Amino acid sequence: GAGVSQSPSNKVTEKGKDVELRCDPISGHTALYWYRQSLGQGLEFLIYFQGNSAPDKSGLPSDRFSAERTGGSVSTLTIQRTQQEDSAVYLCASSLAGTTNEKLFFGSGTQLSVL
Amino acid sequence: AQSVSQHNHHVILSEAASLELGCNYSYGGTVNLFWYVQYPGQHLQLLLKYFSGDPLVKGIKGFEAEFIKSKFSFNLRKPSVQWSDTAEYFCAVNPSGGSYIPTFGRGTSLIVHP
């Protein structure tokens, strides 16, 4: 596709369940970012992938959160044992080379609701 | 680590009014600065960016922003807003030679009444 694709667009889950969120970046983009957008809190960085380098996981809020990127393309963010405070919009973005002056291309996000 | 402050969280204007949204960042070195916009029901997209040269940058839809290094500011302006400018606006900073991870502000919700 032409843009960053995220699925599902909405996910409702029960507290304690695991969820997987998927991101398909723009073809050829080497950098991939995950952010979390909570109401009134702006965008909170979670994790960053660049090519074959080890990911920067410094934004992950707890060890319940993990992410992988297979083949330098599709990424999956996994949240284990979900809690109500995990409810938010999870945004994925990609950029061509990950340089500091590049713009990010965002997906439409996954709205996660934990009941 | 860098941070970004957007002082106006909610702004309500009438059409044709002038707009200025504040953005201040904390980082002592060279920075790249961005404004992103999220229209209702749409994904975040770039409005404009500054990385070098003329500190007054122009973006889409008549928006402009001025980088004032001495004030660590990158305020967004538009002389006459339209109803279609209703959106959420985010300022972001990405230091040159840094971690390559942009830091975003909390966002400003702009509502323009027709």
Side-chain angles (χ1 to χ4, degrees):
Chain A
V4 177
S5 178
Q6 291 188 247
S7 61
S9 55
N10 283 282
K11 177 71 176 179
V12 180
T13 191
E14 294 179 349
K15 178 180 171 182
K17 300 283 189 185
D18 298 352
V19 295
E20 284 189 352
L21 312 180
R22 176 189 168 104
C23 173
D24 201 343
I26 293 172
S27 178
H29 280 196
T30 62
L32 187 147
Y33 306 77
W34 283 97
Y35 285 87
R36 178 167 70 175
Q37 185 178 16
S38 303
L39 198 61
Q41 297 301 312
L43 273 68
E44 175 190 4
F45 165 71
L46 297 176
I47 189 168
Y48 164 63
F49 296 89
Q50 171 54 273
N52 296 321
S53 303
D56 184 327
K57 305 179 182 180
S58 59
L60 295 178
S62 78
D63 59 7
R64 295 187 295 106
F65 288 72
S66 63
E68 63 177 18
R69 188 178 184 191
T70 53
S73 180
V74 172
S75 177
T76 302
L77 177 69
T78 302
I79 309 173
Q80 295 179 310
R81 305 181 302 282
T82 52
Q83 303 295 312
Q84 288 183 331
E85 60 263 29
D86 299 335
S87 297
V89 176
Y90 289 80
L91 292 171
C92 177
S94 69
S95 68
L96 185 60
T99 57
T100 58
N101 61 8
E102 278 188 309
K103 73 175 184 179
L104 270 57
F105 293 81
F106 283 87
S108 296
T110 294
Q111 173 76 61
L112 176 64
S113 301
V114 182
L115 305 180
Chain B
Q2 66 271 17
S3 65
V4 178
S5 295
Q6 291 184 242
H7 311 296
N8 317 102
H9 296 151
H10 301 279
V11 175
I12 301 174
L13 296 172
S14 298
E15 275 193 321
S18 64
L19 170 72
E20 181 159 2
L21 301 182
C23 172
N24 287 91
Y25 66 92
S26 65
Y27 185 78
T30 305
V31 293
N32 304 283
L33 296 158
F34 307 81
W35 276 98
Y36 286 85
V37 61
Q38 187 171 28
Y39 297 105
Q42 297 186 27
H43 59 269
L44 273 158
Q45 58 186 284
L46 183 73
L47 199 54
L48 49 77
K49 71 174 183 179
Y50 169 82
F51 61 95
S52 69
D54 189 344
L56 182 64
V57 292
K58 296 188 184 299
I60 59 172
K61 302 188 179 185
F63 285 90
E64 65 178 31
E66 185 175 12
F67 169 49
I68 303 179
K69 188 173 182 179
S70 61
K71 295 185 177 180
F72 298 90
S73 70
F74 190 55
N75 292 355
L76 181 70
R77 300 193 294 248
K78 186 171 184 179
S80 176
V81 295
Q82 300 174 307
W83 173 77
S84 58
D85 294 324
T86 294
E88 190 97 16
Y89 293 82
F90 293 89
C91 182
V93 62
N94 198 347
S96 297
S99 66
Y100 304 102
I101 299 166
T103 298
F104 286 79
R106 286 181 57 181
T108 297
S109 173
L110 171 66
I111 296 174
V112 180
H113 290 300

